[in-house]
Amino acid sequence: MAEEGQVISCHSKNEWDNQFQKGKDSKKLVVVDFTATWCPPCRMIAPIFVEMASKYRNAIFLKVDVDELQEVAKEWDIEAMPTFLLLKEGEIIEKIVGADKDGLSKKVEVHSVLAAA
């Protein structure tokens, strides 16, 4: 189990379901990085995602490899990598397609502040 401020990688459907439910129950902001090992923009933004997890400790950061968990990617209609979903109580509040670090940072900042309020 990851500590606060870390990115939690989900390697099984069961792991994903558990983390998703924890996030839903906690009412915290959940930020999911749908990624792939072969995707250069995914590798470029990965360390930035880790930095965000350290900075926004009141949010939950999850990472899903779309090749490893195709079922989860399909469930959430993920068609491009990276795709970031910001979830609140299990519902999508933002979807960012592409390695838009500034856009992602702004959305996480806004929604993590709202989640903490």
Side-chain angles (χ1 to χ4, degrees):
M1 182 63 216
E3 300 294 318
E4 279 189 358
Q6 291 185 341
V7 175
I8 302 166
S9 291
C10 298
H11 297 286
S12 70
K13 176 78 164 82
N14 192 40
E15 221 175 338
W16 162 259
D17 289 341
N18 289 339
Q19 293 299 335
F20 176 76
Q21 193 59 50
K22 274 185 200 167
K24 195 173 173 180
D25 294 345
S26 73
K27 299 191 183 330
K28 288 184 176 183
L29 174 67
V30 178
V31 186
V32 187
D33 175 8
F34 284 92
T35 187
T37 54
W38 48 263
C39 163
C42 298
R43 290 196 300 272
M44 186 268 308
I45 203 160
I48 294 158
F49 193 67
V50 170
E51 276 177 38
M52 281 188 224
S54 299
K55 184 175 178 182
Y56 301 104
R57 293 180 174 272
N58 59 332
I60 297 169
F61 288 78
L62 303 177
K63 189 172 203 156
V64 174
D65 184 310
V66 297
D67 293 321
E68 191 174 19
L69 294 180
Q70 292 177 8
E71 182 182 351
V72 175
K74 190 174 184 178
E75 197 177 298
W76 291 92
D77 294 322
I78 304 304
E79 296 174 348
M81 277 61 70
T83 294
F84 298 92
L85 296 183
L86 279 67
L87 308 171
K88 186 73 171 139
E89 295 180 38
E91 299 294 319
I92 298 173
I93 53 174
E94 296 283 352
K95 182 175 185 173
I96 300 158
V97 179
D100 178 4
K101 67 178 183 176
D102 295 333
L104 180 61
S105 294
K106 285 179 182 127
K107 299 287 185 192
V108 170
E109 185 172 356
V110 166
H111 291 294
S112 69
V113 168
L114 292 175

